[in-house]
């Protein structure tokens, strides 16, 4: 699979750990920044990662910061992104099974690296269940379209 990662300074170290894990597992990884622990604002990096996913150049995105909250919010501003803040295996599995999430968000100040790897692996392996969840995603997409069109 192809992944894109983006983070702020707080998520930089965890991003490196997750990127190394993905490469070791045979995945392709691209990194849209940041590239150090120098303080930066996260929105530009998270939106950049989200745009790579929507553009079709990555199958899934990963955004990281201190809490993961703002990172998920920023990624979700990109039309078509379904970023999920996950802090355990269950939230990661349900994000994919029920919400067909295409971007994983985590907080490096709240999730230890070992757990983050487990969350990532669950997120990758889980698949969208379809069925009763499809109409809900259609409703979300309709809301998104209304907001984008000014309606």
């Amino acid at each position: 699979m192809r992944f894109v990662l983006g983070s702020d300074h707080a998520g930089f170290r965890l991003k490196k750990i997750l990127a190394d894990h993905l490469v070791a597992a045979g995945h392709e990884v691209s990194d849209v920044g940041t590239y150090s622990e120098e303080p930066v604002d996260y929105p530009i990096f998270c939106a950049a990662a989200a745009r790579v996913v929507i553009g079709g150049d990555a199958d899934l995105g990963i955004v990281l910061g201190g809490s993961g909250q703002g990172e998920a919010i920023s990624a979700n501003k990109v039309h078509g992104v379904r970023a999920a803040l996950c802090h355990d295996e269950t939230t990661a599995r349900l994000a994919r099974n029920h919400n067909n999430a295409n971007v994983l968000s985590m907080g490096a100040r709240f999730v230890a690296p070992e757990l983050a790897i487990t969350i990532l692996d669950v997120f990758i392996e889980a698949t969208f269940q379809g069925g009763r969840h499809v109409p809900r995603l259609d409703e979300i997409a309709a809301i998104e379209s209304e907001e984008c069109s000014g309606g």
Side-chain angles (χ1 to χ4, degrees), residues 11-79:
F12 174 74
R13 285 186 189 186
L14 183 57
K15 180 177 65 165
K16 173 79 170 114
I17 291 167
L18 296 179
D20 290 347
H21 174 73
L22 289 167
V23 168
H27 300 290
E28 292 179 33
V29 174
S30 61
D31 183 344
V32 295
T34 192
Y35 305 108
S36 76
E37 292 183 84
E38 289 296 317
V40 295
D41 294 332
Y42 56 80
I44 190 169
F45 302 106
C46 298
R51 288 183 182 114
V52 170
V53 172
I54 294 307
D57 293 322
D59 300 304
L60 295 172
I62 303 163
V63 294
L64 305 161
S67 71
Q69 294 280 16
E71 292 74 21
I73 292 168
S74 297
N76 277 320
K77 295 298 179 184
V78 175
H79 188 83

Side-chain angles (χ1 to χ4, degrees), residues 74-133:
S74 297
N76 277 320
K77 295 298 179 184
V78 175
H79 188 83
V81 167
R82 291 174 307 282
L85 174 61
C86 298
H87 52 268
D88 58 32
E89 294 172 56
T90 302
T91 53
R93 185 175 300 107
L94 293 177
R96 297 278 287 149
N97 289 164
H98 294 186
N99 307 112
N100 201 17
N102 52 9
V103 174
L104 169 64
S105 181
M106 288 189 280
R109 293 183 179 143
F110 295 92
V111 178
E114 298 79 18
L115 178 57
I117 289 169
T118 301
I119 290 168
L120 175 58
D121 288 344
V122 168
F123 190 82
I124 292 168
E125 293 187 25
T127 58
F128 183 52
Q129 293 177 341
R132 65 187 168 102
H133 305 291

